[in-house]
């Protein structure tokens, strides 16, 4: 079964190997150099977790890796990127949710997340968990704020609805997407997924890339957002972000600031929350 066929059927696909562990070391070194520059006590906070491909060469190179193309379209944009870090023994988790819930990106069938493992991502360290064939409709979510839930709005699918989705999938348990560094998983914008706490003795680090067809629009329309052109024709629904000229340059950080302000305005529409965790 091809990547696209399996993705269309189940709403996800894994693993995809981007590079060998040795070849991937340059990417890892780039990430840890970024954290050293901009992290606080080894951790990235708020906007420094997002849209790294606008300032960091290693992140830009991952966005433009052709191996991650699973959209049936010649015109591809990157809406955003973000670091998903769960540190050893900290108790952080991502509740059961759909990426589509607050983004406003439609049609959602033309949007996906590529989740790239920068460290081992195993059951013990809280790897991604997917429910097969859960991507056919938008489900209701409740907001349950929690310091431990790494989702900024604490969004979670109610348990009774989640039980029904799992029963329909025909699986007793969700599928755990274990990955090695340099491997990636793909999941549909409406695929129901989560990840548990990191009970291992190492940090679990992932880099999420949000790809979409150039035909996708943000229906929230609070403001016109920006996106990065990956390939083809950018269309006319998004302002296109400039490529990096100087890694971590002042101009690059200014472009990053503009894009983040626009993304936050749409994402946090009508919410008391104004910033990402």
């Amino acid at each position: 079964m091809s990547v696209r066929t399996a993705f269309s059927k189940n709403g996800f696909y894994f693993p995809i190997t981007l590079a060998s562990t040795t070849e991937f070391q340059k990417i890892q070194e780039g990430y840890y150099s970024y954290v050293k520059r901009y992290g606080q006590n080894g951790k990235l906070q708020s906007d420094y977790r997002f849209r790294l491909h606008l300032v960091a060469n290693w992140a830009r190179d991952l966005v433009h890796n052709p191996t991650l193309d699973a959209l049936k379209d010649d015109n591809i944009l990157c809406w955003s990127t973000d670091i998903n870090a769960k540190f050893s023994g900290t108790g952080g988790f991502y509740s059961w949710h759909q990426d589509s819930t607050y983004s406003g990106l439609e049609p959602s069938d033309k949007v996906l997340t590529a989740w790239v493992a920068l460290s081992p991502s195993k059951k013990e360290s809280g790897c991604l968990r997917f429910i097969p064939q859960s991507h056919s409709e938008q489900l209701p979510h409740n907001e349950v704020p929690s310091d431990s839930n790494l989702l900024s709005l604490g969004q979670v699918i109610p348990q009774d609805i989640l039980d029904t989705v799992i029963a329909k999938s025909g699986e007793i348990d969700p599928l755990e997407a274990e990955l090695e560094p340099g491997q990636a998983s793909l999941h549909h914008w409406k695929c129901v997924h989560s990840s548990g706490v990191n009970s291992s003795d190492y940090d679990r680090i992932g880099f999420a890339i949000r790809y979409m067809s150039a035909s996708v629009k943000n229906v929230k329309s609070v403001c016109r957002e920006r996106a990065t052109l990956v390939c083809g024709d950018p269309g006319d629904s998004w302002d296109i972000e400039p490529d990096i000229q100087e890694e971590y340059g002042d101009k690059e950080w200014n472009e990053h600031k503009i894009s983040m302000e626009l993304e936050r305005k749409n994402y946090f529409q009508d919410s008391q929350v104004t910033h990402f965790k």
Side-chain angles (χ1 to χ4, degrees), residues 99-225:
D99 291 339
S100 54
T101 306
Y102 296 100
S103 68
L105 303 183
E106 294 291 347
S108 59
D109 286 342
K110 293 291 187 178
V111 191
L112 65 80
T113 294
W115 199 95
V116 181
L118 301 183
S119 71
S121 183
K122 303 292 185 179
K123 180 178 179 180
E124 64 182 7
S125 57
C127 65
L128 280 174
R129 300 177 295 193
F130 300 123
I131 299 178
Q133 302 177 39
S134 60
H135 58 298
S136 62
E137 62 180 326
Q138 179 63 49
L139 301 173
H141 288 60
N142 293 333
E143 293 182 11
V144 185
S146 166
D147 290 339
S148 296
N149 191 343
L150 299 175
L151 294 172
S152 296
L153 293 170
Q155 61 266 36
V156 58
I157 297 170
Q159 188 62 49
D160 58 333
I161 295 175
L162 184 65
D163 290 341
T164 299
V165 172
I166 294 175
K168 286 182 179 179
S169 76
E171 297 286 340
I172 298 175
D173 297 305
L175 297 184
E176 292 168 326
E178 293 194 313
L179 302 172
E180 297 291 344
Q183 292 185 325
S185 62
L186 305 173
H187 64 267
H188 187 283
W189 208 229
K190 286 182 179 173
C191 177
V192 176
H193 62 288
S194 71
S195 64
V197 300
N198 183 355
S199 58
S200 73
D201 59 0
Y202 58 89
D203 297 335
R204 191 223 66 167
I205 311 295
F207 181 64
I209 307 170
R210 321 297 183 169
Y211 291 112
M212 61 185 178
S213 165
S215 63
V216 168
K217 298 180 179 181
N218 193 318
V219 298
K220 290 180 122 176
S221 300
V222 176
C223 60
R224 182 179 171 94
E225 282 192 59

